[in-house]
């Protein structure tokens, strides 16, 4: 388990310091800004959706390593997902991080492996809003569409 935690930590550090898809998307069909006042994290999410499929997802913004890593991993996972699948991911991911009343997490098997790296954030309640910022922003973006 320690090795797994180290692996997850490396993934978060990697995405936090070297975020993927960190560019504005000129021909985005959806743009949505999100802000986490607790930490000062700011994210601008860009989506290009065609025939109800997310064909490109990028982001910009300033934030701590956890919020940046979470947004970076999210934009990688979103490609080729439908809007419905993306909303499903948002709900599962946020439930996974905020559901503190059980030791066993029923949502884990529904999430892509990369996202499991962010489960360790659960142990730091003050950072949960950092990890969920991009996801709340995505949920809001898809609901306004
Ligand atoms: Zn933060």
């Amino acid at each position: 388990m320690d090795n797994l935690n180290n692996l997850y930590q490396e993934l978060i550090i990697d995405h936090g310091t070297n975020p993927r898809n960190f560019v504005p998307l000129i021909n985005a069909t959806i743009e949505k800004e999100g802000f986490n006042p607790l930490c000062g994290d700011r994210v601008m999410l860009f989506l290009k959706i065609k025939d109800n499929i997310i064909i490109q997802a990028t982001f910009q913004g300033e934030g701590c390593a956890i919020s940046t890593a979470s947004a970076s991993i999210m934009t990688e996972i979103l490609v080729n997902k439908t809007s419905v699948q993306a909303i499903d991911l948002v709900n599962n991911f946020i439930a996974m991080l905020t559901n503190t009343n059980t030791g066993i997490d029923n949502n884990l098997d529904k999430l892509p492996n990369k996202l499991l790296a962010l489960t360790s954030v659960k142990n730091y309640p003050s950072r949960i809003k950092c990890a969920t910022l991009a996801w709340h922003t995505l949920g809001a973006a898809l609901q306004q569409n």
Side-chain angles (χ1 to χ4, degrees), residues 14-81:
D14 177 29
H15 277 268
T17 54
N18 180 26
R20 320 300 196 271
N21 305 307
F22 193 71
V23 288
L25 196 56
I26 308 298
N27 51 359
T29 49
I30 302 180
E31 292 181 25
K32 186 77 182 172
E33 188 175 28
F35 180 56
N36 168 21
L38 290 180
C39 183
D41 305 318
R42 202 176 281 280
V43 65
M44 177 65 92
L45 179 66
F46 301 88
L47 299 174
K48 189 173 180 185
I49 299 181
K50 199 179 173 206
D51 300 330
N52 207 35
I53 307 274
I54 298 169
I55 52 177
Q56 217 175 344
T58 69
F59 76 107
Q60 287 275 271
E62 284 177 15
C64 64
I66 291 174
S67 71
T68 302
S70 187
S72 173
I73 292 170
M74 186 185 82
T75 56
E76 282 196 326
I77 287 170
L78 284 180
V79 176
N80 292 325
K81 297 278 190 294

Side-chain angles (χ1 to χ4, degrees), residues 71-140:
S72 173
I73 292 170
M74 186 185 82
T75 56
E76 282 196 326
I77 287 170
L78 284 180
V79 176
N80 292 325
K81 297 278 190 294
T82 65
S83 303
V84 171
Q85 286 172 326
I87 287 174
D88 210 37
L89 275 173
V90 169
N91 291 336
N92 282 328
F93 181 69
I94 290 172
M96 176 193 81
L97 278 176
T98 54
N99 180 7
T100 49
N101 58 6
T102 169
I104 298 165
D105 208 314
N106 297 323
N107 292 307
L108 287 180
D109 58 350
K110 295 180 191 165
L111 293 170
N113 280 336
K114 261 188 216 165
L115 269 188
L116 296 182
L118 292 163
T119 57
S120 52
V121 175
K122 257 180 115 164
N123 301 323
Y124 307 92
S126 64
R127 311 308 301 277
I128 288 174
K129 283 206 158 50
C130 301
T132 57
L133 173 64
W135 298 81
H136 280 297
T137 307
L138 173 64

